[in-house]
Amino acid sequence: MDLWYTEKHSDNVGITLKVTRSLFSGASEYQQLDIVETAEYGRMMLLDGLVMLTERDEFIYHEMIVHPALFTHPAAKKVLVIGGGDGGTIREIVKHPQVEQAVLCEIDGLVVEKSIELLPTVASAIDGSNPRVKLHIDDGLAYIRAHQNEFDVILVDSTDPIGPAVGLFEEDFYRLVFAALKDDGIMVAQSESPFYHSNIQRDMYAALRRVFPIVEMYQAFIPTYPSGLWSFACASKRWHPVTDFDRARAAGRDFTTRYYNEDLHRGAFMLPTFARENIAP
Ligand code: AG3
């Protein structure tokens, strides 16, 4: 018997992957979590039925949510991740030798626990072995309210704006992020698909522009997300992710990446016309 999982991207379109077995299926007080083995994309994590990651293409999302900001900020020492309980974002952050502390604030302890158990290559930096990593199981909004002028970079690694992540797409939250950042801090948040989510993008970028002086969108190709074209919002207090980007430092990095590189950094900020129009002021 063949088993296939479909995440519907609209009423009429979805992505379907052949599943060879289920590794975990259970609900926390926040959401339904499933981890399955697929025939072509390795293990896959779903939250409320939405694809969060697969082992085969997670490197693209995790490299791209981290490295553009960390090679734009001249010396990021303290970095906060909100969401991202699988640990992939933290794994990329700790590749940067100047980072002294990487803090993960994830609302759902079950996601962290099951990622460590079933997705070890993703969760390698949050399994307790890395002294630079601190873990908080807490609501991102509550956590950020209690911190001011503290972080160089804040990365919002959220799910879609439904369920527990709704508050992470609102202006009030961006104001709290702004306050939690130091004077030259940078925020990056995943910002959905320019192809499918133009309304979400319009509202999100408008809210960001009311809070931050510099707001730029950049894109990445992520095969298992809706439409395959995904985006990130870079909102910054001082450093511009293209004009202040330190290309030489990125080119001289002493760690490997499989998607990000110093040329792609600039290219990622060059948008197709329809994507640019989604967020036109
Ligand atoms: N964050 C999930 C992005 C949203 C995907 N949306 C969807 N499949 N409908 C990724 C978590 C990985 N750290």
Side-chain angles (χ1 to χ4, degrees), residues 7 50-52 61-62 86 157-160 190 225-226 230:
E7 177 190 333
L50 305 178
V51 176
M52 291 297 112
Y61 178 93
H62 291 126
D86 52 77
D157 183 2
S158 75
T159 179
D160 295 355
Q190 76 86 1
Y225 284 177
W230 209 250

Side-chain angles (χ1 to χ4, degrees), residues 50-93:
L50 305 178
V51 176
M52 291 297 112
L53 64 85
T54 76
E55 287 180 319
R56 181 162 169 196
D57 69 350
E58 58 84 12
F59 69 97
I60 305 173
Y61 178 93
H62 291 126
E63 289 181 16
M64 288 303 283
I65 198 172
V66 170
H67 302 310
L70 288 195
F71 283 122
T72 296
H73 194 291
K77 294 193 164 60
K78 199 160 176 186
V79 182
L80 170 67
V81 177
I82 293 179
D86 52 77
T89 299
I90 294 280
R91 179 194 67 205
E92 295 302 312
I93 293 169

Side-chain angles (χ1 to χ4, degrees), residues 4-18 44 46 49-51 195-197 222-228:
W4 296 75
Y5 179 76
T6 299
E7 177 190 333
K8 286 177 72 181
H9 294 161
S10 74
D11 286 345
N12 308 298
V13 175
I15 186 173
T16 304
L17 293 94
K18 187 171 177 177
M44 171 165 75
L46 305 151
L50 305 178
V51 176
F195 194 77
Y196 279 125
H197 305 124
I222 304 178
T224 58
Y225 284 177
S227 86

Side-chain angles (χ1 to χ4, degrees), residues 102-214:
V103 180
L104 180 67
C105 180
E106 161 66 49
I107 196 168
D108 194 343
L110 184 66
V111 173
V112 174
E113 181 195 321
K114 290 295 156 188
S115 298
I116 293 169
E117 182 186 326
L118 297 169
L119 298 163
T121 59
V122 182
S124 55
I126 58 164
D127 62 3
S129 61
N130 193 316
R132 292 191 289 155
V133 175
K134 291 242 165 342
L135 193 61
H136 295 279
I137 303 302
D138 198 354
D139 176 16
L141 271 148
Y143 182 88
I144 203 141
R145 239 179 236 118
H147 295 262
Q148 277 104 41
N149 193 25
E150 186 174 330
F151 296 99
D152 300 300
V153 173
I154 296 178
L155 304 174
V156 186
D157 183 2
S158 75
T159 179
D160 295 355
I162 38 172
V166 174
L168 304 182
F169 286 78
E170 288 169 358
E171 181 173 337
D172 288 352
F173 171 66
Y174 301 140
R175 294 202 181 278
L176 295 169
V177 170
F178 187 93
L181 286 168
K182 291 184 184 156
D183 286 345
D184 65 346
I186 303 174
M187 173 185 105
V188 170
Q190 76 86 1
S191 64
E192 304 288 300
S193 168
F195 194 77
Y196 279 125
H197 305 124
S198 52
N199 293 343
I200 295 171
Q201 291 206 318
R202 188 195 53 228
D203 295 349
M204 179 180 182
Y205 281 78
L208 285 168
R209 286 199 185 101
R210 290 194 288 272
V211 179
F212 286 88
I214 298 166

